[in-house]
Structures are given as C-alpha cells and as structure tokens.
Amino acid sequence: MSVVGMDGDLLKDGLKRVQAEIDSVFDAFLPVPSDTRARLVEAMRYAAIGGGKRVRPLLLVTTAELFGVDRTSALRAGAAVEAIHCYSLIHDDLPCMDDDDLRHGKATLHHVYDEATAVLAGDALHALAFEILADHGTSSDPFVRSELIATLGTASGMNGMAGGQMMDMVADEEGVTYDLQAITRLQQLKTGALLSCAVEMGAVLGKVPVEGRAHLRAYSRDIGLAFQIADDLLDVEGDAQLAGKALRKDEGQGKQTFVTLMGADQARDQARMLVDQAIGHLSSHGSEADTLRALARFIVERDR
Amino acid sequence: MSVVGMDGDLLKDGLKRVQAEIDSVFDAFLPVPSDTRARLVEAMRYAAIGGGKRVRPLLLVTTAELFGVDRTSALRAGAAVEAIHCYSLIHDDLPCMDDDDLRHGKATLHHVYDEATAVLAGDALHALAFEILADHGTSSDPFVRSELIATLGTASGMNGMAGGQMMDMVADEEGVTYDLQAITRLQQLKTGALLSCAVEMGAVLGKVPVEGRAHLRAYSRDIGLAFQIADDLLDVEGDAQLAGKALRKDEGQGKQTFVTLMGADQARDQARMLVDQAIGHLSSHGSEADTLRALARFIVERDR
C-alpha cells in the first residue's frame, strides 16, 4: 500500500536523521579528557553513541516541531531523554540486575569494561541528562528548562522508570503474580513513563499550555502500552540477531507479560487497537503529525 | 578556650537542627507507596533518613542564611545535595566498587536488601535530587531552580564526583601513581565538588551575583581539601567504632593519599593551615558567618 510505503520512508528518514544528530550532541557533550577520567567518558560514549533506535528523541523532536520549536533545542532535550534511557539500560544489564551480555548488537558495558565502570558510567549519564537540560543553550527560558527537568526527573525516578523496574524485580524474586491491571501499571511506569515524557517535553519546549496537551498525553499513553506489548511479542517471536539482544527471556523466567496473560493473538490485536487509537488522538493535526502517526505504526511492526 | 566552646555549641546545635529538618524533608518526599514499589522507597528511606552528619546541607543552609534566604527553600536544596551524597555512598559501597559492609554505623544497603535494590535505590535518589530542585516549592524563581540544577548536575557528573571516583578507581586498578598535584585534583573532584556545590547553591538561592561569590568559592575550596586530608588522617588514626565505617583501608590497598604523600604530621599542619585560610576568606562577614567558621574547624577535628 502506498501509504505504508510513504509512512515507512518518512519514518526511516526521520530516524536516520535523528540518529546522526543525537550522536553529534553526545559527541559534543562528551569530549574525552586527557586525565584518568578518560575511561569513564569512553565508557559513556560506548553506551550513548552509535546505538539504539532513538525512538524517544524522535518522539520529542517531532512533537516539538508541531509547535515550531528550534531544532537545536529539541535535539538537546532529546539527548537528555536518551541519556536517561542509556543509563537505565547500562544498570539493567548489570550482573546483579538482568545480567545481559548483548545490547544493540554489541557486548554490554560491564563486559567491555567492568562492573564498577558500568555503574559509574550509568551514574554519569544520569547526571549528564540534567546538566544538558539546565544548560542555557537548551532553552534560553529558565521556566522551560525547569519544567523539562521536573518532567524528566519524575519519569525516571521512583514514580516512573525506577519504580516500574522495582515492581518488575519484586515479581521475579518474590514470585508476586500481577493481573492485567497491575502489569499495565507496571509497564506504564517502567517503559511508558519515559516515552510519554519525551512527548511531554516536546510540548513543554513548544510552551503548549497544560490544557492543550491532553491529546498528546493520550497519544503517548497508547503508544507506550503498544510499545511494551510489542516488546513482549518480540521476546516470544523475534529474531535475536535482528533485535541485537537476548530474547526468550520472559518464558525462561516464568514471567507474567501481556503475552502470557492475553495470548499472542489477543496481545497483537490489542497493540494494533492501541496504535489506531493513538493515531486517532492526532486528528486535530494535519500532515505535520505524519511522523508521529508513522512512529505509532512502527512501534508494533518493528523487529528490534 | 571559651571561643572553642561557643563554636562547638553553635555547630552542635546547627547540625542537630539541620539533621532533624533534613530527615523531615526526606520523610515528606518519600511516602511509602502501597504497591510493590514499597521495597524501593523503603530502601531509599533506609539510606537517606537518620544517618550522616549532614555537613553539606548545613553548609548550604548557613550560606543561604547569610543572604536572607527562606529556610524552607534552603532545606529543600540541602536535601537535594544530600540525596546526591547518599546515592553516591550506596553505589560506592557496592561489592563491585568499595565492597563496604558498614555505613553510618549501620549495615550497607546491599546487605540489608540486595545489590539490585541498592543500584536502583541509588538511581532513584539521584533522580529525586533533581525532582526536588525542579519543584516550585523549592524556589518560585525558575531561573534559580535552573541554576541550582546546573550547579548540582556539574558537581555530581563526570566533571565532578563521578569523574573523581573514576580517577580513584584507575589508580587502584591500573597501579597509576599520582603526585600531590594529581591527588589534589582527584580529591577536588571526588569530595570537594559537592562540598563547594553546597556553598554555591546557598549563594544561588541568595541571588548573589557571580562576582560576589569569589570569597565563598575560596572558602569552600579550602575546606573541601581540608575535609579530604582529615578523612585520610581518620583512615590512619581514627576509631572505626566512632566513625561508623571500616578504616585502615588506604594502607591495605597501597593507596596514595595526602597522608602517604606528606606524612601524618605535615598533612595535619596542612589541614589546619587550610582551615585558617578558609576562615580568612570570611572576613567580610560578621558573626552571622560564625557557623561557617565553626564548620571549617569541625572538619579537621571530627572523629567520624
């Protein structure tokens, strides 16, 4: 279908462009020092540059574009969200957490360096995110800077990603079983919070009043859930080579996911329904929101 | 000497008051949720409440007081600095880092819970610091909020605490030997940056123009260095029971410190000289800076 083709190109071009741009923001913020801190910064660069789909920065940049935000600002904010995403992956991959060997098709950071360097590189990327947002170059408006930081801080902390991660750990270790409602809540925190945060930060940069953000929040909530369902399906049905990370992990751990709770077919239907619903929330926007629409579709169709 | 007695009381009262106040800020920001995130928040509370000397919050609150800052604002900013300090201790104590069993006289967090919870609780306290600073209740002025965040982000990241920690690790693991200049630089990053940051944040809250902060920066640089020399002396000469943590660690690891490089006597003289110099930088202030003077003296005389 031609729409799908157009969609695909729009998205492919958007992701490719943002990938190169985010790499260059990180490159600028991470010059390797000439003292023994070099190992730390090299580790941060290994984790942050040249890997990842950059879905969160693309969400942020594309939302910001709807409201005429300067691209340099949006990319810096996008790099901040991505720094949080990268730090969380480094810590999640640690032996004491998920003990993963592969990430974005490369060896995980603690294998290339060591565990201590991985802990520290994660911490330093965490701090970098807030440094970037507090920088006058990201926005000349201090109110915008402060709102960006509040949004990202909440999405990454105990009421966001870290909280969701803990709910997940407790289920694994203490054998707590969650029902669909609890799994939905867990995933909204663990994965959804940062995706929604990316969209919200685009709106903050665009100085959209809170009452004008409802449709964007609804969009990001739906794609966040669809994203996680797709991830669960990928774990069951995906190709580890393409995904660039270990799969079939949920089943081995006897973990409750959308797929174990609903079955693969119903999960797939649910993800598609959420994507349609997400796209529906964008009806007040014209073709300028086509990338957001394409992103929503990509989220359930991706193979990595 | 009566001045020492007065000094001691001033400081004891100041610390005691700030300890109770910081505990209550953390208590307010860390309500235990009724879902399975409870373990995360309980771990954060274990690490953040009821331990530590609270030197950094006292530095911040006392500096802020010089410029008539509202105490509630200063205490929130103080809690943010302390959240960063607490998170760094949790991660430093991990088996893959310093592998410590005791902190503030209590079992370290990964012993009470587990390593994964300790990593995550550290991460969540890290995020909490920036959440507190971005909150409108900390300062109604967005420029102040953003400057506080920029200051703390720099002090905690690769160009501050995390950078110093890496320099320290590289020395341990790769057998790099530092001279006195390099050790001074390492300690300025690892310990000094956050102490200086506390003073600087007090000045930011007080809206002191940058050109009016030079004497405060000189004061905090001197006490930062004195603090680390005192720490090195404590490691050699201190009482582990009083200190509430393992001592005699530097010697066992063949580590370069101010004491190994200068000898204990010269190190002690140097620390005292730095304290006198730090107090000298406060000469433009009257008795309202007495707590800062007493804090400088305490830093070299403390037994924990």
Side-chain angles (χ1 to χ4, degrees), chain A residues 207-223:
Chain A
K207 302 188 186 185
V208 182
V210 173
E211 56 278 15
R213 298 180 200 167
H215 68 295
L216 292 170
R217 287 181 179 172
Y219 162 83
S220 66
R221 196 175 48 241
D222 288 340
I223 63 162

PDB file of all heavy atoms in Angstrom, chain A residues 207-223:
ATOM      1  N   LYS A 207       5.943  25.413  24.602  1.00  0.00           N
ATOM      2  CA  LYS A 207       5.140  26.259  25.505  1.00  0.00           C
ATOM      3  C   LYS A 207       3.642  26.059  25.320  1.00  0.00           C
ATOM      4  O   LYS A 207       2.842  27.008  25.367  1.00  0.00           O
ATOM      5  CB  LYS A 207       5.532  27.733  25.323  1.00  0.00           C
ATOM      6  CG  LYS A 207       7.027  27.960  25.594  1.00  0.00           C
ATOM      7  CD  LYS A 207       7.397  29.438  25.619  1.00  0.00           C
ATOM      8  CE  LYS A 207       8.927  29.562  25.741  1.00  0.00           C
ATOM      9  NZ  LYS A 207       9.395  30.925  25.879  1.00  0.00           N
ATOM     10  N   VAL A 208       3.263  24.802  25.068  1.00  0.00           N
ATOM     11  CA  VAL A 208       1.845  24.454  24.948  1.00  0.00           C
ATOM     12  C   VAL A 208       1.237  24.450  26.348  1.00  0.00           C
ATOM     13  O   VAL A 208       1.756  23.766  27.228  1.00  0.00           O
ATOM     14  CB  VAL A 208       1.685  23.048  24.331  1.00  0.00           C
ATOM     15  CG1 VAL A 208       0.219  22.692  24.145  1.00  0.00           C
ATOM     16  CG2 VAL A 208       2.447  22.950  23.006  1.00  0.00           C
ATOM     17  N   PRO A 209       0.179  25.209  26.595  1.00  0.00           N
ATOM     18  CA  PRO A 209      -0.431  25.196  27.927  1.00  0.00           C
ATOM     19  C   PRO A 209      -0.928  23.796  28.281  1.00  0.00           C
ATOM     20  O   PRO A 209      -1.282  23.018  27.383  1.00  0.00           O
ATOM     21  CB  PRO A 209      -1.607  26.176  27.811  1.00  0.00           C
ATOM     22  CG  PRO A 209      -1.821  26.380  26.353  1.00  0.00           C
ATOM     23  CD  PRO A 209      -0.523  26.097  25.670  1.00  0.00           C
ATOM     24  N   VAL A 210      -0.932  23.480  29.569  1.00  0.00           N
ATOM     25  CA  VAL A 210      -1.264  22.127  30.018  1.00  0.00           C
ATOM     26  C   VAL A 210      -2.580  21.632  29.415  1.00  0.00           C
ATOM     27  O   VAL A 210      -2.680  20.482  28.988  1.00  0.00           O
ATOM     28  CB  VAL A 210      -1.297  22.071  31.572  1.00  0.00           C
ATOM     29  CG1 VAL A 210      -1.806  20.719  32.051  1.00  0.00           C
ATOM     30  CG2 VAL A 210       0.105  22.324  32.129  1.00  0.00           C
ATOM     31  N   GLU A 211      -3.574  22.521  29.317  1.00  0.00           N
ATOM     32  CA  GLU A 211      -4.886  22.100  28.803  1.00  0.00           C
ATOM     33  C   GLU A 211      -4.833  21.767  27.301  1.00  0.00           C
ATOM     34  O   GLU A 211      -5.722  21.092  26.797  1.00  0.00           O
ATOM     35  CB  GLU A 211      -5.971  23.143  29.120  1.00  0.00           C
ATOM     36  CG  GLU A 211      -5.716  24.558  28.617  1.00  0.00           C
ATOM     37  CD  GLU A 211      -4.804  25.410  29.508  1.00  0.00           C
ATOM     38  OE1 GLU A 211      -4.112  24.841  30.398  1.00  0.00           O
ATOM     39  OE2 GLU A 211      -4.745  26.633  29.298  1.00  0.00           O
ATOM     40  N   GLY A 212      -3.781  22.200  26.630  1.00  0.00           N
ATOM     41  CA  GLY A 212      -3.640  21.876  25.212  1.00  0.00           C
ATOM     42  C   GLY A 212      -2.849  20.600  24.953  1.00  0.00           C
ATOM     43  O   GLY A 212      -2.595  20.244  23.809  1.00  0.00           O
ATOM     44  N   ARG A 213      -2.464  19.910  26.050  1.00  0.00           N
ATOM     45  CA  ARG A 213      -1.614  18.733  25.882  1.00  0.00           C
ATOM     46  C   ARG A 213      -2.356  17.403  26.006  1.00  0.00           C
ATOM     47  O   ARG A 213      -1.762  16.343  25.849  1.00  0.00           O
ATOM     48  CB  ARG A 213      -0.499  18.728  26.946  1.00  0.00           C
ATOM     49  CG  ARG A 213       0.435  19.909  26.854  1.00  0.00           C
ATOM     50  CD  ARG A 213       1.510  19.812  27.936  1.00  0.00           C
ATOM     51  NE  ARG A 213       2.123  21.107  28.182  1.00  0.00           N
ATOM     52  CZ  ARG A 213       2.908  21.396  29.213  1.00  0.00           C
ATOM     53  NH1 ARG A 213       3.182  20.454  30.114  1.00  0.00           N
ATOM     54  NH2 ARG A 213       3.424  22.591  29.362  1.00  0.00           N
ATOM     55  N   ALA A 214      -3.665  17.487  26.313  1.00  0.00           N
ATOM     56  CA  ALA A 214      -4.420  16.259  26.628  1.00  0.00           C
ATOM     57  C   ALA A 214      -4.336  15.227  25.501  1.00  0.00           C
ATOM     58  O   ALA A 214      -4.113  14.037  25.763  1.00  0.00           O
ATOM     59  CB  ALA A 214      -5.872  16.599  26.939  1.00  0.00           C
ATOM     60  N   HIS A 215      -4.477  15.672  24.240  1.00  0.00           N
ATOM     61  CA  HIS A 215      -4.484  14.706  23.132  1.00  0.00           C
ATOM     62  C   HIS A 215      -3.103  14.079  22.950  1.00  0.00           C
ATOM     63  O   HIS A 215      -2.976  12.913  22.593  1.00  0.00           O
ATOM     64  CB  HIS A 215      -4.963  15.368  21.834  1.00  0.00           C
ATOM     65  CG  HIS A 215      -4.035  16.401  21.274  1.00  0.00           C
ATOM     66  ND1 HIS A 215      -3.754  17.586  21.926  1.00  0.00           N
ATOM     67  CD2 HIS A 215      -3.299  16.408  20.132  1.00  0.00           C
ATOM     68  CE1 HIS A 215      -2.898  18.285  21.197  1.00  0.00           C
ATOM     69  NE2 HIS A 215      -2.599  17.596  20.112  1.00  0.00           N
ATOM     70  N   LEU A 216      -2.034  14.861  23.246  1.00  0.00           N
ATOM     71  CA  LEU A 216      -0.677  14.321  23.131  1.00  0.00           C
ATOM     72  C   LEU A 216      -0.408  13.307  24.231  1.00  0.00           C
ATOM     73  O   LEU A 216       0.252  12.284  24.015  1.00  0.00           O
ATOM     74  CB  LEU A 216       0.349  15.454  23.208  1.00  0.00           C
ATOM     75  CG  LEU A 216       0.341  16.416  22.008  1.00  0.00           C
ATOM     76  CD1 LEU A 216       1.211  17.634  22.303  1.00  0.00           C
ATOM     77  CD2 LEU A 216       0.803  15.701  20.739  1.00  0.00           C
ATOM     78  N   ARG A 217      -0.935  13.604  25.418  1.00  0.00           N
ATOM     79  CA  ARG A 217      -0.780  12.643  26.522  1.00  0.00           C
ATOM     80  C   ARG A 217      -1.512  11.345  26.223  1.00  0.00           C
ATOM     81  O   ARG A 217      -1.022  10.257  26.510  1.00  0.00           O
ATOM     82  CB  ARG A 217      -1.293  13.253  27.831  1.00  0.00           C
ATOM     83  CG  ARG A 217      -0.352  14.318  28.366  1.00  0.00           C
ATOM     84  CD  ARG A 217      -0.848  14.913  29.666  1.00  0.00           C
ATOM     85  NE  ARG A 217       0.104  15.902  30.152  1.00  0.00           N
ATOM     86  CZ  ARG A 217      -0.106  16.709  31.180  1.00  0.00           C
ATOM     87  NH1 ARG A 217      -1.242  16.640  31.853  1.00  0.00           N
ATOM     88  NH2 ARG A 217       0.819  17.574  31.552  1.00  0.00           N
ATOM     89  N   ALA A 218      -2.695  11.462  25.650  1.00  0.00           N
ATOM     90  CA  ALA A 218      -3.463  10.266  25.290  1.00  0.00           C
ATOM     91  C   ALA A 218      -2.713   9.471  24.222  1.00  0.00           C
ATOM     92  O   ALA A 218      -2.611   8.236  24.301  1.00  0.00           O
ATOM     93  CB  ALA A 218      -4.850  10.671  24.789  1.00  0.00           C
ATOM     94  N   TYR A 219      -2.167  10.170  23.240  1.00  0.00           N
ATOM     95  CA  TYR A 219      -1.368   9.520  22.184  1.00  0.00           C
ATOM     96  C   TYR A 219      -0.198   8.753  22.804  1.00  0.00           C
ATOM     97  O   TYR A 219       0.024   7.580  22.496  1.00  0.00           O
ATOM     98  CB  TYR A 219      -0.865  10.593  21.208  1.00  0.00           C
ATOM     99  CG  TYR A 219       0.292  10.159  20.334  1.00  0.00           C
ATOM    100  CD1 TYR A 219       0.085   9.422  19.160  1.00  0.00           C
ATOM    101  CD2 TYR A 219       1.611  10.484  20.672  1.00  0.00           C
ATOM    102  CE1 TYR A 219       1.150   9.020  18.358  1.00  0.00           C
ATOM    103  CE2 TYR A 219       2.685  10.089  19.877  1.00  0.00           C
ATOM    104  CZ  TYR A 219       2.446   9.355  18.720  1.00  0.00           C
ATOM    105  OH  TYR A 219       3.506   8.953  17.938  1.00  0.00           O
ATOM    106  N   SER A 220       0.554   9.424  23.695  1.00  0.00           N
ATOM    107  CA  SER A 220       1.776   8.785  24.202  1.00  0.00           C
ATOM    108  C   SER A 220       1.449   7.646  25.167  1.00  0.00           C
ATOM    109  O   SER A 220       2.184   6.669  25.245  1.00  0.00           O
ATOM    110  CB  SER A 220       2.708   9.816  24.840  1.00  0.00           C
ATOM    111  OG  SER A 220       2.134  10.369  25.994  1.00  0.00           O
ATOM    112  N   ARG A 221       0.329   7.759  25.877  1.00  0.00           N
ATOM    113  CA  ARG A 221      -0.065   6.654  26.760  1.00  0.00           C
ATOM    114  C   ARG A 221      -0.365   5.412  25.929  1.00  0.00           C
ATOM    115  O   ARG A 221       0.083   4.311  26.252  1.00  0.00           O
ATOM    116  CB  ARG A 221      -1.279   7.056  27.610  1.00  0.00           C
ATOM    117  CG  ARG A 221      -1.519   6.142  28.797  1.00  0.00           C
ATOM    118  CD  ARG A 221      -2.647   6.631  29.700  1.00  0.00           C
ATOM    119  NE  ARG A 221      -3.826   6.978  28.930  1.00  0.00           N
ATOM    120  CZ  ARG A 221      -4.369   8.196  28.885  1.00  0.00           C
ATOM    121  NH1 ARG A 221      -3.852   9.192  29.577  1.00  0.00           N
ATOM    122  NH2 ARG A 221      -5.436   8.447  28.143  1.00  0.00           N
ATOM    123  N   ASP A 222      -1.076   5.619  24.843  1.00  0.00           N
ATOM    124  CA  ASP A 222      -1.427   4.473  23.981  1.00  0.00           C
ATOM    125  C   ASP A 222      -0.195   3.859  23.318  1.00  0.00           C
ATOM    126  O   ASP A 222      -0.059   2.640  23.285  1.00  0.00           O
ATOM    127  CB  ASP A 222      -2.437   4.909  22.907  1.00  0.00           C
ATOM    128  CG  ASP A 222      -3.816   5.169  23.498  1.00  0.00           C
ATOM    129  OD1 ASP A 222      -4.081   4.668  24.607  1.00  0.00           O
ATOM    130  OD2 ASP A 222      -4.612   5.877  22.864  1.00  0.00           O
ATOM    131  N   ILE A 223       0.676   4.689  22.778  1.00  0.00           N
ATOM    132  CA  ILE A 223       1.848   4.088  22.123  1.00  0.00           C
ATOM    133  C   ILE A 223       2.789   3.457  23.149  1.00  0.00           C
ATOM    134  O   ILE A 223       3.472   2.488  22.846  1.00  0.00           O
ATOM    135  CB  ILE A 223       2.635   5.063  21.202  1.00  0.00           C
ATOM    136  CG1 ILE A 223       3.232   6.223  21.983  1.00  0.00           C
ATOM    137  CG2 ILE A 223       1.785   5.544  20.033  1.00  0.00           C
ATOM    138  CD1 ILE A 223       4.351   6.923  21.215  1.00  0.00           C
TER     139      ILE A 223
END
